[in-house]
Amino acid sequence: MYVSEVQNTELKAPKVAKNIPTVAEFTQGEVILFAAGAIKVMDDDGITVLLEGRKETVDYVRTPYRFTLMLSDKTLIGKRRAAQRLMASSLQAVGSGADTEVIGMALERALSKMVAEIEP
């Protein structure tokens, strides 16, 4: 299994999403330090690095070229994640070249499965 094969399906599922804060608590510092070090090396070589991300992340990287992602509607993140999961699951089910009716049925099945995951 490759991350690229499950990045919009299993990795976006509630069972993974609910554990991200726990994992991030133990690993995010190392990731930020690695990224900051890589940015410094590139900067020292005369390369301009544009850094974008969440405020909690980019605040730890010293660079004048950082931008914080801000959303006026915080529900957009969840909506985007749901759309990614629907698309990826449906594409796996029908493959490329399917007609709109088959795609619609695959989307309905994927949505039903997603709803079942979160219902008690």
Side-chain angles (χ1 to χ4, degrees):
M1 176 186 309
Y2 294 101
V3 170
S4 61
E5 294 172 348
V6 295
Q7 67 186 356
N8 291 318
T9 54
E10 284 90 345
L11 293 181
K12 302 278 189 211
K15 65 183 177 186
V16 173
K18 72 179 181 181
N19 290 305
I20 289 175
T22 303
V23 173
E25 180 181 346
F26 293 99
T27 62
Q28 192 164 15
E30 290 183 45
V31 171
I32 291 170
L33 289 174
F34 174 81
I39 289 169
K40 180 165 180 10
V41 168
M42 290 185 283
D43 184 52
D44 290 346
D45 286 344
I47 299 170
T48 300
V49 177
L50 179 65
L51 177 67
E52 58 88 11
R54 294 186 175 130
K55 182 174 179 14
E56 298 82 9
T57 304
V58 300
D59 280 353
Y60 290 97
V61 179
R62 293 185 179 175
T63 175
Y65 305 108
R66 65 177 172 217
F67 296 88
T68 303
L69 299 175
M70 300 174 71
L71 296 171
S72 59
D73 179 1
K74 296 192 187 268
T75 65
L76 291 175
I77 294 171
K79 290 175 182 176
R80 180 175 182 264
R81 182 170 293 141
Q84 287 173 324
R85 290 186 62 207
L86 276 172
M87 176 274 311
S89 179
S90 300
L91 185 58
Q92 281 180 339
V94 301
S96 60
D99 66 35
T100 56
E101 186 175 333
V102 172
I103 293 170
M105 290 173 13
L107 286 167
E108 287 181 22
R109 282 192 304 273
L111 181 58
S112 294
K113 182 179 175 186
M114 287 172 58
V115 169
E117 289 176 353
I118 61 172
E119 286 185 337

